[in-house]
Amino acid sequence: MKNRVLLILFVLIFGFFCASVMAQNPSVDYASLNTPEHLDGVRFIERQHSGRLGTDPIKYNSPFQEPKEFSVGVFKNQPVNFGGETGDTTTVKRLQNGRVIYRKIKVPVYKKGTDVSVEVKLRSNGDKWDKSGSCFVVTNPELIDVVDVSLGKEKFPENSIVDKGYGGILKTDDYVPALELMRFMSPFGVGHYSDEKKYPKIEYNRPVYIPKWENEVVWEKDISELESVVTGEFYIGIWIDTWTPEGYSVDVSLKYSGRPRPKLKVMPLLNTVYYVEGQKIPDFFAATTLDLDFTTKQELRNVDLYYTTTGHGGHSGGDEFIKLKNEVFLDSKLVLSKIPWRDDCASFRRFNPSSGVWTKKDSAYAYNENFEREFKEIEERLASSDLSRSNWCPGSSVMPYRIPLGELKKGLHGLQVKIPGTANKKDQFNHWLVSAYITYTE
């Protein structure tokens, strides 16, 4: 009898609790919010008891349940070019005559943190060259940012300028540089020039160990340390340094696992990528160092510095093809000393159908028709895309260096970047694309 009374009491309490939860106002339905903006690919994905993924949107999210997995398609088949096709202009905004695209999106805020990754897919629409690219976010839209300056609403603050004219590079009290989610480098003509029927001579660029040219290049990067700036409402964009009307087509998506992880704060420090029309190509390292003074309003703990760097100047002896040491100092202490270099560029050959090709004489110890090994003189194809470069390859993404700094005391700090860059002559365009931010807890 006692057990029956307890059971009835439990059922009544549980029923009252469920009714209370159902009566509460539902929280934000992000799938519905983004639908008017034609946000392709938005979906909540909830883990089912069977372990399979459900694909129905979660319409009502109770206060006791955060969304588990979430993904958002930011751009889909969106053109990035110079004065060419515009694609979706209702939700996607274009700057630099189409070389920059950006949009505002809104995703859930995970109170307990989450893993995040960004995926970028790229196809050439006719641009046959290798180009620098960047996926970025604007982290503090209440301050001056690159979008405001691009639209003519603001000007770069004087103390964001390096070496008389290189504006918008340094963090200031009222300006924050764009924060780079991913640096990438377009390959030579992937997709557009991969069709050997349409471009039959392309077949002769392909070495025997490449069965076919790829139709696109896909990069995915874990950006979980940046979770705090890619949740809620924010601007996200793509810049590609193309100067052709054909340009490229890009897809971008963000994926959130829902797995709890420690939440970090983020402070963008500097960025030399020229997202804004009129910004100079950052060739100042040959003449000066990059110096930033910034203030922390309280002590910061568990500080990590993320530093991304690539050298450019595609001519013989240019910074793209020579080894130059990067040195980073914090409060006059050397924290990074590296020669950023990639010597694995031949592994990206299948993404580079329109790369220039030469032949090079070599010797091979190989089997002859009688299955006997002998030395032979051969000629091998050598593509421009195979050549080693300053921390990048045509078709690669670029990983930042992560530098643990421990604690930063409250007050003024100094960051300095030294690169012995090559001075420009005529149209050589030697320059370094460098960006940096810190993550921390308070």
Side-chain angles (χ1 to χ4, degrees), residues 48-49 60 146 165 220 293 295 311 322 338 379 436:
Q48 305 297 316
H49 292 299
Y60 301 99
V146 293
E220 186 169 4
D293 291 329
T295 301
I322 58 178
K338 286 279 187 180
E379 277 194 313

Side-chain angles (χ1 to χ4, degrees), residues 31 39 41-45 54-58 69-73 255:
L39 190 54
V42 174
R43 65 189 187 278
F44 281 99
I45 305 176
T55 56
D56 293 332
I58 297 175
E69 291 191 14
F70 179 80
S71 64
V72 54
K255 299 176 184 178

